[in-house]
Amino acid sequence: MLSPGLCVSLLAACLVLFPAVEVRAASCEPVRIPLCWSMPWNMTKMPNHLHHSTQDNAVLAIEQFEGLLGTGCSQDLLFFLCAMYAPICTIDFQHEPIKPCKAVCERAKTGCEPVMKRYNHSWPDSLSCSELPLYDRGVCISPEAIVKAEGPDPFYQDPARCNPESSPDFPMDSNKLHCRGPDGDRCTCKTVKMGLKSYTKNNYNYVIRVRVREVRNRGLEPTAVVEVKEVLKSSLVNIPREVQTLYYSSSCLCPPLTPGEEYLIMGYENEETSRLLLIDGSIAQRWKEKMGRKVKRWDKIMQGRGRGAQRQGRH
């Protein structure tokens, strides 16, 4: 049983949470990721730190770590993953999800990366510890800040559930580093219609015409390797007309791409890592000449709306 006090480092501040009481806020939602039900928070906020816009997509991504969790390589791994994939949401911190502390990430990485290397994988760049806040210098959560009453460890991961080194029933998939079980492919890609409405609503960072060279779904960071033919829009990251890597947010590979085909791709950028992302809401449609003209026309419409709003603001 957990104490209702969960200290979050905000200089000398302490944030009090009550796991049994739901936080009533429009931007918070109940945690629906089974792996994270043992965490001392029951409300989260999407998009998470890995750019998943829904928990349905986040759960498919975090389940890739079940095999690693089963090895017991780090007591901090489950807490760290849940803090990244189902970040805590409270009334006081609704605008930006709270990140796990840097030390939590480093302990999880130190314990688990040697196991990953035995399966020819390395710690994912998307879970890099370098950008996370220090416990005494910013807002972050850490298991040390949680006062526990007597009882079972809420972060305990049963090794028998999925242990690639001892359980023949759930061996680790050496390609994806997760458990292979009876549950088959549950991926469904949501189709986003390409039009002015979705273009303005989703506010894409980049729009590029590409030829797909390869789609890689090995390890914990699925990617697509593309040759950039034309850059119609870029915002935060310089995109040269050469071979680029696009990063999917889960092994579902949405939106789907076929090697050898040309596409118009609309997606988002991570300025910190200079990555081009393919995440929920991204568009990938087979290239047609009229698409480039449409995008340029939509950009002019958006620029006109922006100038109109500025003129209204002056009056």
Side-chain angles (χ1 to χ4, degrees):
M1 182 176 181
L2 291 176
S3 165
L6 169 58
C7 294
V8 179
S9 170
L10 174 55
L11 299 180
C14 177
L15 174 67
V16 179
L17 305 178
F18 294 90
V21 180
E22 290 189 356
V23 178
R24 299 295 180 182
S27 59
C28 297
E29 57 187 80
V31 175
R32 294 186 287 103
I33 299 176
L35 279 174
C36 300
W37 285 345
S38 64
M39 294 297 104
W41 62 88
N42 66 354
M43 301 297 286
T44 187
K45 177 186 171 90
M46 295 287 131
N48 60 20
H49 299 304
L50 284 304
H51 307 287
H52 299 109
S53 62
T54 68
Q55 290 193 65
D56 290 336
N57 288 305
V59 71
L60 292 169
I62 195 174
E63 283 178 353
Q64 296 180 92
F65 292 92
E66 278 193 301
L68 194 62
L69 285 163
T71 67
C73 57
S74 170
Q75 292 182 343
D76 293 285
L77 181 60
L78 181 59
F79 184 97
F80 171 68
L81 292 174
C82 289
M84 293 294 288
Y85 285 88
I88 183 174
C89 182
T90 74
I91 291 175
D92 297 318
F93 293 91
Q94 292 183 42
H95 299 296
E96 185 175 352
I98 302 171
K99 293 182 178 181
C101 297
K102 184 176 183 179
V104 182
C105 176
E106 289 175 338
R107 292 196 301 265
K109 180 179 179 180
T110 298
C112 296
E113 191 169 36
V115 177
M116 298 174 72
K117 287 182 176 179
R118 291 207 296 270
Y119 290 89
N120 298 317
H121 296 296
S122 57
W123 189 258
D125 290 341
S126 59
L127 298 179
S128 172
C129 305
S130 61
E131 301 299 324
L132 296 176
L134 296 172
Y135 179 78
D136 58 348
R137 297 182 188 175
V139 182
C140 64
I141 57 173
S142 172
E144 305 92 90
I146 301 172
V147 181
K148 294 181 289 185
E150 291 184 1
D153 184 351
F155 313 127
Y156 174 72
Q157 176 74 16
D158 183 3
R161 182 167 182 244
C162 171
N163 190 336
E165 301 186 349
S166 65
S167 174
D169 296 327
F170 289 95
M172 183 179 285
D173 184 334
S174 61
N175 288 336
K176 299 180 184 177
L177 203 62
H178 64 76
C179 291
R180 294 199 305 263
D183 193 8
D185 185 8
R186 295 181 289 122
C187 294
T188 54
C189 294
K190 181 176 71 173
T191 302
V192 181
K193 185 178 180 180
M194 194 183 82
L196 176 60
K197 184 177 180 180
S198 60
Y199 186 73
T200 54
K201 177 184 176 183
N202 294 335
N203 193 26
Y204 296 108
N205 294 139
Y206 73 86
V207 180
I208 54 179
R209 171 192 171 193
V210 305
R211 178 178 293 276
V212 180
R213 287 194 172 186
E214 183 182 3
V215 177
R216 300 170 178 169
N217 195 16
R218 299 178 63 86
L220 299 172
E221 288 191 308
T223 58
V225 179
V226 302
E227 181 183 352
V228 178
K229 297 288 188 179
E230 184 179 359
V231 179
L232 297 167
K233 178 183 179 181
S234 64
S235 304
L236 308 172
V237 177
N238 179 44
I239 308 175
R241 292 180 59 180
E242 58 186 40
V243 175
Q244 297 285 328
T245 300
L246 310 181
Y247 292 83
Y248 282 101
S249 60
S250 79
S251 60
C252 283
L253 304 181
C254 297
L257 297 172
T258 302
E261 297 287 343
E262 281 198 16
Y263 289 86
L264 178 75
I265 297 181
M266 302 181 180
Y268 299 93
E269 300 167 342
N270 186 322
E271 187 176 14
E272 292 180 357
T273 60
S274 297
R275 285 185 169 186
L276 304 179
L277 308 176
L278 279 175
I279 61 177
D280 303 333
S282 297
I283 290 177
Q285 289 198 4
R286 282 185 168 83
W287 172 256
K288 296 178 182 178
E289 288 298 330
K290 63 181 180 180
M291 289 179 172
R293 296 192 295 271
K294 281 186 177 180
V295 171
K296 292 175 182 177
R297 186 170 69 249
W298 295 341
D299 277 331
K300 288 182 179 179
I301 293 173
M302 291 178 65
Q303 290 169 8
R305 289 176 179 176
R307 286 193 294 267
Q310 289 178 354
R311 285 194 294 269
Q312 287 181 355
R314 295 192 191 104
H315 295 299

